[in-house]
Amino acid sequence: MAIKFILPTTLVTLLLSQGAAFAQEAAVAEAALSPTLQRLLFLAAALVFLSIAFVMGRNRATAMRNTVAMMHSLPGFHGAVAVQWGALGAFAGVIAHAITGYPMGMLGAVIFAVALALMGVAYALTTIKPDFRARTFTERSVMAFLILCSLVAVLTTVGIVASLVFETAHFFQLYPASEFFFSTVWNPKFGGGSSLGIWPLIWGTLYVSAIALIVAVPIGLMSAVYLAEYASPRVRSWAKPAIEILAGIPTIVYGLFALITVGPLLRDYFAQPMGLGDSSSSVMTAGLVMGIMVIPFVSSLSDDIINAVPQSLRDGSLGLGATPSETVRKVVLPAALPGIVGAVLLAASRAIGETMIVVMGAGAAAKLSLNPFEAMTTVTVKIVSQLTGDTEFASPETLVAFALGLTLFTLTLGLNIVALVIVRKYREQYE
Amino acid sequence: MKASSLLTQDPRTKKRNSAEKRFRGLGLTAIVIALAMLVWLLISIVTAGSPAFRQAFLTFPVLVDQTIVDKAGTRDPALLSAVTTLGYGKLLANSLRAEIAAKGIDLGDLKPKEIAQMISEESAATLRDLVLADPSLIGTTIPFTALASGRIDGFYKGRVTMETAALDKNTSPAQLILADRLLDADILSVKFNTGFVTMPDASDKRPEAAGLGIAVVGSFMMMLVVLLLSLPIGVAASIYLEEFAPKNRWTDLIEVNIANLAAVPSIVYGILGLAIFINFAGLPQSAPIVGGMVLTLMTLPRIIIPTRAALKAVPPSIRDAALGVGASKLQTVFHHVLPLAMPGILTGMIIGLAQALGESAPLLLIGMVAFVRDFPGGLFDPATALPVQVYSWTTRGDPGFVERASGAIIVLLIFLVVMNATAIYLRRKFERRW
Amino acid sequence: MKDMNMETRVLIQPNKIEARNVQVYYGDNHAIKDVDVDILDKTVTAFIGPSGCGKSTFLRCLNRMNDTIASCRVEGLIKIEGEDINDPRVDPVQLRAKVGMVFQKPNPFPKSIYDNVAYGPKIHGLTKNKAELDEVVESCLRRAALWGEVKDRLSAPGTSLSGGQQQRLCIARAIATSPEVLLMDEPCSALDPIATAQVEELIDDLRSQFSVVIVTHSMQQAARVSQRTAFFHLGYVVEYGETSQIFTNPKDPRTESYITGRIG
């Protein structure tokens, strides 16, 4: 018993002295190692350290179990407790230094963290007692970790909103909000005196999205109707995934398709012969290609929604002598309408937020024009062009991107929420 | 009315039946259009991109002339590295002319400078690196395979013709005629181009040398970051929400939040990354670690949704059985529910990774579009990514880059097909109906 | 006296539907075997039998609703007024206009009460103008004993009615296409006793105009509303005859066991 108690204590002291010596050597070696390698080494050392802590905790608990009648938790849980305290110590050490700006230098920080970690482990070892609920303790920590992870989603939203709002406020200090919201001229200049009115961009965005929906909604909806009501199971089993491939293709591929195939085609066979312009990037190019991309968003969700319409309604209609198409048009689609509206709204939000297709297909000129064969630009294109390259976060020309981002975020969020609410209500109706 | 027979169709029924046929035809047409678009898209990209995998090379012996690369003859590294690629270009041009003369090929009226123009400037740099690494090569004649210039390369891919060459100051019909003679003499050859996937990007004037190497490495690093971050976080969040979360306003908020995050435009995540990771936390631009973290935030909600579905698909009877033998709730989840849900979780994970791999818009904002020539040594070094490389190539002037961009898309699509096929295979193999 | 009257009526009615040697398969499952049944005009015929005996399946053969199930295959001869309904020249749309159907669960369309009833006449073009349509809707709702309850809210959605009202609405909807045969697949199984009594009364009333075939789980219901009864068991028609005879003096021991509650 005594020996078993002394052993870990000696080990700790040994580790402490060894750790200090190692740290000195490390300081010498530091200059020779690349930062990446240093980080990897640090990680590996931490892992080894925690494994040792685990083994020590477990062995100690195992030893105790042999001497007492009954322990609340299995030895492994006591080992886990040692790991938690050790990790907590190390983490606290690192964080304390990181936020105070490394007052003792990199090396001091490492030593400090190691010392705290060792103290943590040492404390954990003293807690090992028959009635200590190590399992409950561990489970609580795991639970805390699970909750923390589920909060990442919330933090992401907070981060998005905070960064957008903060920088937008910054922008409005440098540039009048009224100009941004009411001016119809977009003309950023890099010496000051820019006009940054959002309307040409909103117009381009809505124009492209409208064309996309005009392409995607009929095709997507009719495909969904055919798949849900007419197609044999065999046709359905390959046609549905085949259409969904369209949704899995990265948008950069559509962008390139717009740039090298659709754009020149539209210019050579439509725009130039009709005298409507000679630009290969145009609202029509981006809208058509985006429409193709959006087809599966309409068709998949509509297909689900049409399938959710109870069979009894179809039977009722067919039983009265309606043809299948009459059943679809007069019973199934009206019953599915709210869900389909939700699907279309989601597709619209997708189209409004799409970036690569418009960057490569729509052009960069901010214009308020009705000619679909003219190059126009969208909110997303301007976010990209204002924020790539050398970005200096003091000029309104750069910061305007955040105001554009906030506009885009609000617009798509609104559409999404409305769509989700509609779809959810619809599903509940038939449950 | 009563007298009507079932065996004959009345006119109204005939009309209704033809409306039926039209409607049905309309549905079929819609599907055919959608699939035709898919096929058109793929064919157009593959035709434009497949030439990127073939490349014109010039193979000839090169005399590493001491009078050009080491005038002093001292082999002093400092003096050696003072010789620029221009000098090595001259070396290549001289050797090529010597080879042409040796094989007795008719030069036409080409000037030496025009012959030099047929060799890619990139090859001079390659040769320079070779000689600097091994100065003993100086004075010897070594076999060398140089890249043909972009225009000569384009000639063998149909991009450059005699007519366009006549108008082009970078090449001339005479050069193309000579190239054909070199082809006959086996000096010029068109071969499979491994460099396209291994070499780094090249500058604006050298499309023939541009490769995807750094983009592939960068994308791989980012996928590693996404995997290491989003798998534990995504699974942990899903377990909490699906198995433990009480049903109250807070968890409802988290759920709505996740559903909405999955539909937030990807570019917004780019803004977030720029503001938080680069401006606020001071992490380097163009680094795979930042790209990986941005893509993780974007992918997380898209992973949590299928993961929760997989957990939900495990029947309650399994949980009851484990709880019944005295396991704690957490043990039940980790010992029984999670292993059974794993195939579904992995499938969702792979599909999420595939989406992240193809994503480009947020990466543009955090500087992954920069021109990078050196392979990254770690997650904090500058790199590019496959889809972003495609975009930056399309913004360049030389038409040779369009072919490269399309070729890069083929590489990207191959990765995606492999990943999705794996996901489908996993789903088929482990699919379980309870 | 009433019984006497009914029997004579039954005897003088011609055959509306003749089914001979009908077989139905679901994939490999042989669900209906060698069924021969004659359905008389202006008569209520009840199909009874334990669950899964095929009575609903056979009912759905009579207006070819089984066509909508991909794995289902029907063989044998079914004639309505001497015409084979499975003849390739027969359009199921016309057939179903002639042979209406009411389903187990009330299934009003998510439309107004008026539009529910007007649906059939509209698609079949039975009325020339709005006034005629109004008339048809009103008379069908009256026949379905629903007019009094809904006349003030014809534009309310059909789904807002109670279960019994919904089922009567579905019956009104079915008779609005002026069918000659009305098939009812357990029309009262989802209804409470009061609503059931109302629907049964309605069925008895409908007999004056239509030939009604009703599938039911309840023997009491069969005894109450039908004149003729067929007993289905394991896909066969075990016994078919006058309702009074089936219930008081069954010829087959299986019928007797079922009626006395030993199988089912």
Side-chain angles (χ1 to χ4, degrees), chain B residues 5-6 10 12-13 16-17, chain C residues 83 91 94 122-125:
Chain B
S5 162
L6 285 174
D10 57 62
R12 187 179 165 86
T13 309
R16 286 169 62 202
N17 278 336
Chain C
E83 289 176 336
D91 188 338
Q94 271 174 304
K122 269 189 195 161
I123 57 173
H124 293 294

Side-chain angles (χ1 to χ4, degrees), chain B residues 60-66 91 95 98-99 127 136-144:
Chain B
F60 51 90
V62 171
L63 170 67
V64 186
D65 192 346
Q66 183 166 332
L91 210 66
S95 301
E99 177 73 2
L127 180 64
S136 69
L137 293 177
I138 295 171
T140 62
T141 299
I142 54 171
F144 190 75

Side-chain angles (χ1 to χ4, degrees), chain A residues 69 184 313 323:
Chain A
T184 55
L313 289 184
T323 63

Side-chain angles (χ1 to χ4, degrees), chain A residues 204-408:
Chain A
T205 306
L206 295 182
Y207 203 171
V208 171
S209 306
I211 292 178
L213 290 183
I214 289 170
V215 173
V217 171
I219 296 181
L221 195 55
M222 282 313 291
S223 306
V225 165
Y226 189 86
L227 287 175
E229 304 286 334
Y230 290 106
S232 68
R234 243 193 55 221
V235 171
R236 191 184 154 82
S237 71
W238 65 262
K240 192 172 152 72
I243 291 179
E244 278 165 8
I245 291 178
L246 286 171
I249 291 178
T251 54
I252 182 83
V253 183
Y254 288 100
L256 193 70
F257 183 54
L259 187 75
I260 65 174
T261 309
V262 178
L265 188 94
L266 288 179
R267 179 194 57 202
D268 297 344
Y269 293 95
F270 294 93
Q272 279 176 342
M274 293 196 285
L276 288 172
D278 40 24
S279 158
S280 79
S281 38
S282 66
V283 171
M284 193 53 109
T285 306
L288 277 182
V289 174
M290 199 188 284
I292 299 173
M293 184 196 80
V294 175
I295 289 173
F297 291 89
V298 179
S299 74
S300 273
L301 199 51
S302 302
D303 182 48
D304 289 351
I305 280 159
I306 290 172
N307 275 324
V309 173
Q311 184 62 30
S312 68
L313 289 184
R314 292 187 184 85
D315 283 350
S317 173
L318 294 173
L320 289 172
T323 63
S325 69
E326 286 161 349
T327 304
V328 169
R329 279 184 289 128
K330 298 192 172 147
V331 176
V332 176
L333 286 184
L337 190 65
I340 290 170
V341 169
V344 172
L345 287 184
L346 279 183
S349 135
R350 183 83 196 184
I352 288 173
E354 174 47 43
T355 307
M356 295 319 290
I357 294 177
V358 280
V359 165
M360 293 163 83
K367 255 180 270 176
L368 280 164
S369 159
L370 276 174
N371 180 357
F373 291 101
E374 205 164 327
M376 280 181 231
T377 196
T378 69
V379 174
T380 49
V381 171
K382 285 302 157 193
I383 293 177
V384 170
S385 67
Q386 300 310 104
L387 282 182
T388 42
D390 284 330
T391 46
E392 193 202 328
F393 280 84
S395 69
E397 286 77 22
T398 304
L399 289 172
V400 69
F402 290 91
L404 293 177
L406 189 58
T407 313
L408 179 70

Side-chain angles (χ1 to χ4, degrees), chain B residues 139-172:
Chain B
T140 62
T141 299
I142 54 171
F144 190 75
T145 301
L147 292 164
S149 76
R151 300 301 149 104
I152 303 295
D153 184 43
F155 179 55
Y156 291 101
K157 294 168 179 173
R159 197 172 65 233
V160 175
T161 60
M162 290 296 175
E163 291 79 45
T164 62
L167 304 168
D168 190 340
K169 67 175 171 27
N170 288 316
T171 189
S172 63

Side-chain angles (χ1 to χ4, degrees), chain C residues 26-41:
Chain C
Y26 287 114
D28 293 333
N29 178 19
H30 195 168
I32 296 282
K33 298 157 191 163
D34 313 328
V35 167
D36 294 347
V37 167
D38 290 333
I39 311 267
L40 305 184
D41 201 6

